[in-house]
Amino acid sequence: MYFLKRYWKSLLVAAVILYLSLWKQPSFRMPDISNADKWAHMLMYAGLAFMAHWDLHTAKIKDWKLYFFGIIVPIVYGGAIEILQEQFFKPRSGEWGDWLADGLGAVAGFIVFPYAWRLWEKFMDKHKNRTPHA
């Protein structure tokens, strides 16, 4: 139960990614953006790595564990989903390009986190002692 309580944000993002990756392909057409599918992969995995980093940071996890669970695990998770798509969820297909986009997104989310955390801390410090207006 402690694990769920501590890491629920990361687990929720991972569950949403799993659902979106394995459900029947949507009937709507992707926007006419070059490589829209790859951008979607990058954004999903940036979000996963960002949330993993957030959860690990608030749990005061540091050193190699931060990199392992914040970058390596999301990349391996993306690869596992690509394999599941290819093997068991036709007409979905596993693609190397999707996995590369997953990895790039995971690295980007991990790199962006410290900057976002500093902004979050500044925002919270600024609004911590405010009293509501009557």
Side-chain angles (χ1 to χ4, degrees):
M1 189 53 106
Y2 170 80
F3 185 81
L4 289 175
K5 192 174 182 180
R6 174 69 74 187
Y7 302 108
W8 69 270
K9 292 182 286 302
S10 301
L11 295 171
L12 179 62
V13 173
V16 168
I17 289 172
L18 183 66
Y19 175 76
L20 292 173
S21 298
L22 300 182
W23 72 322
K24 182 181 164 195
Q25 286 183 312
S27 58
F28 64 87
R29 219 168 66 97
M30 289 292 276
D32 287 333
I33 299 171
S34 181
N35 297 311
D37 174 52
K38 304 306 180 250
W39 285 107
H41 277 263
M42 286 181 67
L43 288 173
M44 287 191 303
Y45 283 85
L48 178 58
F50 185 93
M51 275 301 125
H53 199 157
W54 185 291
D55 284 345
L56 294 163
H57 184 81
T58 56
K60 301 191 181 349
I61 305 286
K62 296 187 184 333
D63 303 326
W64 66 271
K65 293 177 187 176
L66 184 64
Y67 296 98
F68 181 76
F69 291 106
I71 299 175
I72 304 302
V73 169
I75 292 171
V76 171
Y77 184 66
I81 289 175
E82 292 301 319
I83 292 168
L84 286 172
Q85 285 177 326
E86 182 65 32
Q87 297 297 317
F88 303 107
F89 292 91
K90 301 293 181 189
R92 302 300 296 247
S93 63
E95 297 179 24
W96 286 104
D98 288 349
W99 191 37
L100 177 62
D102 298 345
L104 291 172
V107 171
F110 191 84
I111 290 171
V112 166
F113 174 80
Y115 302 104
W117 183 263
R118 281 189 216 108
L119 289 173
W120 174 255
E121 285 181 325
K122 285 180 184 178
F123 175 80
M124 293 306 289
D125 287 344
K126 183 177 179 181
H127 294 87
K128 187 184 288 184
N129 295 323
R130 277 194 168 173
T131 57
H133 292 96

